[in-house]
Amino acid sequence: MPIPTSNNGSTFYNINDCRSFNQPVTTALVALSGYTCSEAIIINKTGVTVFIYDTSYFDDSNRIALDNNETFVIRGLTNSSQVSAKTSSGSGLLYFRTQYYSFLPQR
C-alpha cells in the first residue's frame, strides 16, 4: 500500500483543496486567476455590479449580474480561469474561493 504524502500521517490522504484569491476587475473582461477547482465561490465587493461569464460564453445573454455584496457559486469547473468577469463601471476587487472536491481519498 502506498504511503500517504501528507495530512500528517493519517490513514487517508485528503486531496480536497481550497484556495482564496482577490483580483482587480475593470470594465474589460478578464479571466479569473487559474487554479484547479470543481467550483468557485465569487464575492462581489467592488461597489458596482459585476458580470460573470463562464467558459467561452461571452455574449451578454449568457452572463450573470452580481450586485455589490452578493455571492454566487459556479460549479462544474476544472479551473477557475474558465470564469471571466468585468464591472459595469469603474473598478474594484473581486474575491473568490476555489474549491476542489474528490470523493476518492488516496489510501
Side-chain angles (χ1 to χ4, degrees):
M1 168 171 42
I3 297 172
T5 58
S6 81
N7 294 326
N8 299 321
S10 66
T11 304
F12 293 95
Y13 170 46
N14 183 353
I15 60 174
N16 298 327
D17 196 18
C18 302
R19 295 285 184 265
S20 298
F21 301 89
N22 65 66
Q23 181 171 335
V25 289
T26 66
T27 55
L29 190 64
V30 62
L32 299 184
S33 299
Y35 198 81
T36 301
C37 65
S38 52
E39 70 180 31
I41 301 168
I42 301 167
I43 305 120
N44 181 7
K45 295 288 187 182
T46 62
V48 297
T49 300
V50 169
F51 301 113
I52 306 296
Y53 301 81
D54 71 284
T55 317
S56 297
Y57 297 99
F58 301 125
D59 186 78
D60 287 346
S61 65
N62 298 112
R63 72 184 183 191
I64 293 174
L66 194 60
D67 288 332
N68 188 50
N69 291 319
E70 284 189 329
T71 300
F72 179 73
V73 178
I74 188 164
R75 294 184 173 95
L77 302 172
T78 55
N79 195 294
S80 57
S81 65
Q82 291 175 282
V83 179
S84 297
K86 68 178 181 178
T87 61
S88 58
S89 64
S91 63
L93 279 180
L94 187 66
Y95 295 85
F96 63 101
R97 181 160 177 86
T98 61
Q99 300 183 151
Y100 172 76
Y101 294 110
S102 173
F103 295 104
L104 301 171
Q106 303 292 322
R107 188 172 247 231

